[in-house]
Amino acid sequence: MLKPIFTFLAASLLLVGTASAETVKLALIDPLTGPMAAAGQPAFEHLKYEAKRINANGGLNGQDLEIVGLDNKVNPQESLVQLQKAIDDGIRYVTQGNGSSVASALISAIEKHNQRNPGDEVLYLNYAAVDPAFTNERCSYWHFRFDANADMKMNALTNYIANNKDIKKVYLINQDYSFGQAVSKAAREMLKEKRPDIEIVGNDFHPLAKVKDFTPYVSKIQSSGADAVITGNWGQDITLLVKAAAEFGLEAPFYTYYGASSGVVTQLGDKGVDRIYQINEYYGEFEDPEMAKRQTELYEQAEWDFYYLRLSTMLDMLKKATDKAESTDPVDVAKVMEGMTLETTTGEVVMRAEDHQVQLPMFISVMKDNMKYGAEGTDYNFKKVARIDREDVSLPTTCRMRRPK
Amino acid sequence: MNDITAVAPRQNRFSWRALSPWLISAAVLLILPFVLESGTAFTLMNVIAVNIVFALSYNMLLGQGGMLSFGHAVFFGLGSYAAMHAMNAIDEASYAGEGFWSHIPVVSMPLVGMIAGGLVALIIGWPFCRRAGTAFAMITLGLGEMVAAAGQMFPSVFGGEAGIYGNRMVGPQWFGLELAQATDVYWFMAFWTFLAVFAMWAFTRTPLGRMSNAVRDNPDRLQFIGYPPRNIRFMIFIASGSFGGLAGGMAAVNYEIITPEALGLIPSGLALLMAAVGGLGVFYGPIVGAIVVSLMNSMLSDYTDASILYVGLVFLAIVMFAPRGLGGGIEQFRVALREGSLGKRLPGWLIGAAAVVLISLGLVLFIELLFQWRHGDDEFAHFFGLDFAAGSLMSWIWALVMFAGGVAVMRFSKKFREDNA
């Protein structure tokens, strides 16, 4: 007798919604509240904006795409609870980007879920977690990565540096944890191979998100006589580092992974101009009118810049795959998404079948003033310096993909 | 904290009355899986189970021993890492089909966590326990930060940012528990939670458990009568670390992944939050706190962008206005019921509760409106079928009216409530 009452309570309490047949839901499991919300909210707004475009163009195999935001507070354990909520809600597509710790938890959880629940498979579309392991030794059939991994970014960056004969001395400064260590290792190995004459004049690690004043590090860089600095820093560690360099008068440019992530431009202002370079799949000029339109509209609607070209690529490819498979079932979609190509504004991208790692051209860009489309409401944005072709970004994989029968 | 009794009065003879909480909770644990269906409910219950043991083990330190710790997650995390490494050893040994680990079931992982947590406390605890109070809090804060930083720096042991992951469906199965789904894991969780809670309750009844209250209330006197407070604190520290590690072992099986973040200040703060919200002075307080805080953590963000703010406000409100926590409130109610004074006191409590509800509704409405206004959402907030929007003045007036009404009820009923307290 109590059962209906309890199930009613559980249903009302736990949001056990009914998945309507007409929509395909994609859950974004990312920080949406709290101190890290600035990392998850732009992606959320971006996805919602792009979903409208997809739906206006016929949706996913005729069904509407709906984006569901689930807050994980960048905590791997909490992410698994949110994943379970998504699965209960009938959601079969999950996307996430902030934190390789969360990505690691999701990959292994989804792998197990799909193994233990045939017929209820979930697909994980990774838009920004860049640990190379996810498409190498830990590769999973249910994981597709739409961002270049950390090693590919370094490959592109070092290919650019190798052709730039002015650079003779390089300084490495990174956060002291697995990602920073991986960036430093990749930089040393690749530079040694491509330009043996380049001297690594410093290889510093600093505590993660703890340093308030980078002046001692900057003065070390200055006295080493470096022509360029490579850093994988993100968040406050990149802003404070470049700020300290500007105040110290260090001339050497900073080659970064995350120089254009949200907040950096506003906080650096004039101090970043001509000083901060980034390697990314896009840049801030928007010479393609379609992209310029998206930048303007997204900024008007949600006050976020069009930073994630890869989210557009991801949804476009999802649409192409569902249309081609004539199904929105993750099993069918995964099958056709392997090896799929897509024409984007920067050129053709390929979802490599071997390891589910997207292969795409990348760009080196530098922060400039008086740009036509300023980032974050300022006049600053990133201007293209060089294009690195897809072949020069690509790296071999050690993945031995275990495909379901 | 002197007026609080953390343990029930001693009863030597067997009585159903003393046994009833255990029988009831065992019955609830047995019935729950048959009335709940969704996977989310099971997942949440498993999270709550881990947090119950974690919060209770923390309360051994703070509530019973009077030692404020900011580094309890170290034991939880290291216990979890130990269990995870053991689980991976089982995985490898069962493929090879030989070796010590191939005979160990995954069901026993909490014990591995417990041993690890206890060992860590045993090794590092002695210098910490010389003082309680601020010194102890500072040292544990440093310990927590140090271990968390080390966790990020040694990828070979802690797995770097991506952490260490494993598979719980390996090794010999006990009781036919396959541990594939959250529903299977529930039985594992229920068993260990019940066992751990009972063990921790039993601990409060031992001479050492009683001494831990004494060392909290008056360490000088304890010294005089021949019990060095440091020894007592050290033993409590080890016991608490062991149960923290046990919770970590449960977490390892539940999540099948552990990352260095689990060692840091945030999970340590969570333990304090759960214990304080539930009530430090009542044995079952942290259980209530763990349930409330876990649900708030996982569910609230679906409804509002300000979820973290609310968790903070609840903590603040309880520390300021109800220092005995939710468990303290339940205990008060129970005492009144036993003494037969409930009829006299209930009206005052209900009026107070109504005032609190009014004030919170006003505050919630205000915060939601503020968020709506700030983020320019055009969605409406719904309360009692009324639509509220940041654009309309009426919404703000409503918020003010509710808040002021609550404060007024609080003020004017003060004498009545005090007379009937």
Side-chain angles (χ1 to χ4, degrees):
Chain A
M1 194 195 89
L2 277 175
K3 191 163 176 166
I5 302 173
F6 269 102
T7 42
F8 170 75
L9 276 178
S12 51
L13 267 175
L14 304 175
L15 250 196
V16 186
T18 43
S20 93
E22 291 82 39
T23 62
V24 179
K25 289 187 189 173
L26 171 67
L28 172 72
I29 301 183
D30 250 343
L32 300 177
T33 67
M36 290 293 283
Q41 282 291 351
F44 191 33
E45 294 297 337
H46 225 101
L47 283 168
K48 285 196 286 193
Y49 172 77
E50 290 288 335
K52 271 186 218 152
R53 184 174 58 82
I54 298 272
N55 292 341
N57 290 332
L60 305 175
N61 188 34
Q63 300 181 10
D64 270 354
L65 171 65
E66 185 192 338
I67 310 292
V68 180
L70 293 169
D71 181 30
N72 71 353
K73 303 171 181 75
V74 221
N75 177 321
Q77 280 84 20
E78 185 56 38
S79 305
L80 298 181
V81 177
Q82 301 299 335
L83 174 68
Q84 185 61 50
K85 265 162 62 176
I87 291 171
D88 274 2
D89 210 11
I91 298 176
R92 312 277 300 271
Y93 294 92
V94 168
T95 183
Q96 178 272 346
N98 290 292
S100 287
S101 54
V102 175
S104 165
L106 286 179
I107 288 178
S108 62
I110 288 175
E111 181 94 42
K112 284 168 201 146
H113 170 84
N114 291 353
Q115 211 170 35
R116 296 169 192 174
N117 304 276
D120 192 25
E121 287 85 354
V122 173
L123 208 57
Y124 168 31
L125 311 171
N126 170 0
Y127 75 85
V130 294
D131 189 336
F134 302 151
T135 46
N136 283 293
E137 61 269 25
R138 284 194 63 189
C139 65
S140 159
Y141 180 75
W142 306 106
H143 163 254
F144 287 87
R145 174 149 57 192
F146 290 86
D147 191 9
N149 69 40
D151 285 352
M152 288 164 71
K153 288 181 184 182
M154 185 55 75
N155 192 29
L157 184 60
T158 48
N159 278 337
Y160 169 76
I161 290 175
N163 292 326
N164 191 340
K165 297 291 175 204
D166 294 340
I167 298 176
K168 296 196 172 63
K169 289 176 172 175
V170 169
Y171 200 99
L172 308 173
I173 177 162
N174 285 293
Q175 296 151 327
D176 194 1
Y177 79 116
S178 51
F179 171 68
Q181 288 162 2
V183 168
S184 155
K185 184 164 164 266
R188 275 175 288 152
E189 283 173 6
M190 290 181 185
L191 281 175
K192 197 176 169 195
E193 188 198 318
K194 291 170 192 168
R195 277 279 301 276
D197 61 305
I198 283 185
E199 194 189 340
I200 308 280
V201 289
N203 181 23
D204 263 341
F205 292 104
H206 63 80
L208 175 65
K210 291 271 191 298
V211 181
K212 295 279 172 266
D213 181 11
F214 276 96
T215 314
Y217 293 99
V218 171
S219 83
K220 256 176 90 183
I221 299 173
Q222 177 80 301
S223 61
S224 74
D227 304 317
V229 183
I230 296 179
T231 176
N233 284 12
W234 48 267
Q236 66 173 40
D237 285 340
I238 182 76
T239 342
L240 295 178
L241 173 63
V242 177
K243 224 176 213 174
E247 275 154 16
F248 196 83
L250 180 70
E251 292 295 321
F254 283 79
Y255 289 95
T256 70
Y257 279 32
Y258 298 112
S261 49
S262 61
V264 176
V265 168
T266 311
Q267 286 175 44
L268 277 182
D270 214 27
K271 287 170 182 151
V273 171
D274 289 328
R275 189 168 269 121
I276 187 160
Y277 288 70
Q278 66 148 347
I279 171 81
N280 200 5
E281 85 277 12
Y282 205 46
Y283 43 90
E285 279 179 286
F286 304 106
E287 64 265 35
D288 181 345
E290 166 64 20
M291 294 300 134
K293 185 179 138 235
R294 289 186 201 175
Q295 157 71 14
T296 325
E297 282 184 4
L298 185 62
Y299 193 76
E300 266 173 20
Q301 286 173 19
E303 293 194 15
W304 291 108
D305 290 307
F306 189 81
Y307 170 71
Y308 289 114
L309 177 65
R310 50 184 180 264
L311 285 178
S312 309
T313 309
M314 182 173 99
L315 292 188
D316 282 337
M317 200 176 265
L318 185 62
K319 174 173 167 54
K320 195 176 173 185
T322 49
D323 289 353
K324 192 178 166 198
E326 294 181 349
S327 153
T328 54
D329 191 282
V331 181
D332 304 329
V333 170
K335 212 172 281 169
V336 295
M337 212 186 254
E338 288 199 308
M340 181 165 266
T341 61
L342 186 81
E343 202 58 48
T344 73
T345 179
T346 62
E348 193 187 55
V349 304
V350 183
M351 180 50 73
R352 188 157 72 182
E354 277 173 277
D355 57 351
H356 296 188
Q357 166 67 56
V358 79
Q359 305 297 319
L360 74 180
M362 300 208 79
F363 297 89
I364 308 271
S365 52
V366 62
M367 189 167 148
K368 289 279 187 195
D369 200 354
N370 297 322
M371 296 287 285
K372 190 171 172 197
Y373 299 97
E376 299 170 4
T378 65
D379 285 333
Y380 307 104
N381 211 332
F382 282 77
K383 189 178 163 63
K384 181 166 83 174
V385 175
R387 176 193 158 100
I388 321 286
D389 288 332
R390 201 171 82 202
E391 299 73 40
D392 294 330
V393 177
S394 179
L395 281 172
T397 176
T398 58
C399 168
R400 294 168 66 189
M401 187 73 76
R402 284 155 65 181
R403 291 186 171 75
K405 283 181 192 123
Chain B
M1 232 178 266
N2 295 354
D3 58 332
I4 299 166
T5 41
V7 286
R10 183 180 271 277
Q11 287 167 325
N12 286 323
R13 257 177 295 151
F14 173 84
S15 81
W16 284 106
R17 202 191 167 83
L19 207 60
S20 61
W22 301 101
L23 292 177
I24 292 170
S25 36
V28 168
L29 284 176
L30 287 174
I31 291 169
L32 268 179
F34 298 101
V35 292
L36 291 170
E37 277 165 352
S38 80
T40 308
F42 281 97
T43 308
L44 276 175
M45 284 197 292
N46 294 342
V47 172
I48 290 171
V50 172
N51 281 344
I52 284 175
V53 179
F54 187 39
L56 273 177
S57 74
Y58 181 76
N59 203 37
M60 285 172 99
L61 278 182
L62 181 57
Q64 289 154 26
M67 297 144 88
L68 173 63
S69 164
F70 289 113
H72 198 56
V74 166
F75 306 106
F76 177 86
L78 291 178
S80 207
Y81 267 108
M84 193 59 82
H85 280 296
M87 222 150 83
N88 286 333
I90 294 173
D91 195 358
E92 269 173 35
S94 46
Y95 274 116
E98 57 188 302
F100 167 72
W101 286 108
S102 64
H103 306 293
I104 308 291
V106 168
V107 178
S108 68
M109 284 305 104
L111 275 184
V112 175
M114 186 174 191
I115 293 167
L119 270 180
V120 172
L122 179 75
I123 293 165
I124 60 173
W126 181 246
F128 296 6
C129 295
R130 203 155 67 89
R131 294 266 176 82
T134 317
F136 183 80
M138 287 297 136
I139 295 171
T140 50
L141 182 68
L143 167 81
E145 285 288 277
M146 187 186 77
V147 175
Q152 293 282 10
M153 283 174 201
F154 300 104
S156 54
V157 186
F158 297 102
E161 194 193 357
I164 294 185
Y165 54 97
N167 188 352
R168 61 185 173 223
M169 292 172 68
V170 293
Q173 282 176 14
W174 278 15
F175 314 112
L177 264 186
E178 208 185 2
L179 293 178
Q181 310 290 349
T183 38
D184 279 5
V185 178
Y186 173 81
W187 293 113
F188 163 85
M189 287 292 165
F191 169 75
W192 280 105
T193 308
F194 192 81
L195 200 70
V197 172
F198 185 78
M200 279 187 267
W201 176 79
F203 179 83
T204 64
R205 316 272 289 179
T206 61
L208 179 60
R210 297 306 169 99
M211 294 307 285
S212 78
N213 293 163
V215 79
R216 172 192 72 196
D217 293 339
N218 199 341
D220 292 339
R221 191 178 163 91
L222 206 63
Q223 180 86 59
F224 281 142
I225 54 175
Y227 289 101
R230 188 181 189 173
N231 294 6
I232 308 275
R233 287 198 196 103
F234 185 44
M235 283 188 273
I236 305 165
F237 193 69
I238 295 170
S240 163
S242 310
F243 282 104
L246 188 137
M250 290 164 65
V253 175
N254 186 33
Y255 299 117
E256 301 181 288
I257 184 165
I258 172 81
T259 57
E261 290 151 333
L263 301 158
L265 197 56
I266 293 174
S268 291
L270 182 72
L272 172 61
L273 186 73
M274 291 187 295
V277 166
L280 302 168
V282 192
F283 176 76
Y284 59 80
I287 301 181
V288 180
I291 295 171
V292 171
V293 173
S294 309
L295 285 177
M296 280 181 87
N297 258 343
S298 296
M299 304 310 296
L300 207 57
S301 56
D302 289 353
Y303 304 99
T304 167
D305 280 351
S307 59
I308 295 178
L309 182 67
Y310 290 127
V311 177
L313 282 179
V314 166
F315 179 65
L316 212 69
I318 285 185
V319 169
M320 284 172 67
F321 303 117
R324 290 180 179 189
L326 299 174
I330 299 173
E331 195 65 11
Q332 226 175 6
F333 189 81
R334 214 170 60 100
V335 169
L337 194 66
R338 200 171 54 203
E339 289 172 352
S341 61
L342 190 63
K344 180 168 167 283
R345 296 163 84 174
L346 198 60
W349 287 349
L350 285 179
I351 292 173
V356 169
V357 167
L358 269 178
I359 293 176
S360 342
L361 274 179
L363 263 181
V364 168
L365 183 56
F366 180 71
I367 292 168
E368 289 301 310
L369 286 173
L370 210 61
F371 257 71
Q372 213 184 71
W373 173 61
R374 177 68 191 81
H375 292 290
D377 248 339
D378 53 356
E379 281 172 38
F380 289 99
H382 298 283
F383 274 136
F384 312 119
L386 291 168
D387 284 343
F388 293 100
S392 80
L393 189 64
M394 267 318 282
S395 312
W396 296 89
I397 293 176
W398 264 110
L400 192 69
V401 164
M402 281 199 264
F403 184 78
V407 174
V409 172
M410 193 73 107
R411 267 285 153 91
F412 291 124
S413 65
K414 194 169 183 231
K415 191 169 180 316
F416 175 76
R417 284 185 295 125
E418 274 171 3
D419 290 347
N420 291 300

